[in-house]
Amino acid sequence: MDSSTQSESPEEEVRSFFDSAPHLKNSDLITQRLKDFVDKNSHASENGKPRRIVCVTSGGTTVPLEQRCVRYIDNFSSGHRGAASTEYFVRAGYAVIFLYRRGSCQPYCTYLPEDSFLDFFELSEDSTIQVRQSHSAVVKKSIRDYHAAVDHGFLLELPFTTIFEYLQILQMVATSISHFGSHGMFYLAAAVSDFYVPWNDMAEHKIQSASGPLDMRLTQVPKMLSVLRKEWAPSAFCVSFKLETDPDILLKKADAALNKYQMHVVVANLLATYKQEVVAVTKSQRTTIRKHSQEAHVEEQIIELLVEKHADYLEQP
Ligand code: 9Z3
């Protein structure tokens, strides 16, 4: 049967996606971790105000081509943006649910040198392991900041790999965050697949090359942003990202996403320059953000602006 969902309504497409997705293996554990995190933070306050919470998504989703997956399609994203942004949100007093691609960049590791893990350590004469002197200041700072965030209940990390895992966990996070009303935020920096192979149409075993060239039909991933806004967490402040390679269409596409999905902010970026510059697009403004210096992270300024916009949003009647 052709699994095309062209004739279904957006709500039906979403339902079909979830109905046919493979069962999330550790959903009870995720539910429990989310519940504990949300309970803890919903009773916490920051300067006499309820603590704000943000779900930061980070890294690319994969689309498996076989149920016993040997091959998959991937989306470009190192996870650096999500990881660095998490650090700045924690610093601004937000509790962060970091929904990240397994193996992508982690918060509090963004300033560590990209050396091999083993290059950080050396064996002393009595065979104890120690951090090399050259790396010790930066490692100490990372350990300190990371433990402060986790131990004080500001950081919950949830990993995903596939588009199926990502969207199922995002839905769980969104319904948990909905209890925070407008104090909740989404910062959707993950690079999410637009196309996928529905689980029931997927080959079970490794696709054989002896059968000749591969013809494969990919189905469109339903647009979850609308459902997130309308059903899962309608009061939350929503920031999505738009990535393009063609500068001529970037801002038009960002405006379209803003209107179509009722986002509060769309952060527009180009593949060639996304580490240096982004444009934050709202209904009334386009703000270009460029990083100050070679060593700075542009994410610091992005978060500064979004925290302000979220505060304005909280003041609206
Ligand atoms: C982004 O545009 C992010 O800024 C990057 C960050 C993926 C470029 P890195 O992880 O890169 O620091 O290496 N994310 C959103 C990409 C995306 O898939 N957006 C969808 C679209 O453009 C909308 S949800 O259609």
Side-chain angles (χ1 to χ4, degrees), residues 75-81 188-192 241-243 269 274:
N75 256 63
F76 162 82
S77 170
S78 66
H80 179 276
R81 170 141 296 155
L188 303 164
V192 182
F241 280 73
K242 179 52 72 187
L243 176 67
N269 51 182
Y274 77 96

Side-chain angles (χ1 to χ4, degrees), residues 69 119 131 161 286 304 307:
C69 182
D119 280 339
V131 175
T161 303
R286 284 177 180 173
E304 206 175 284
V307 169

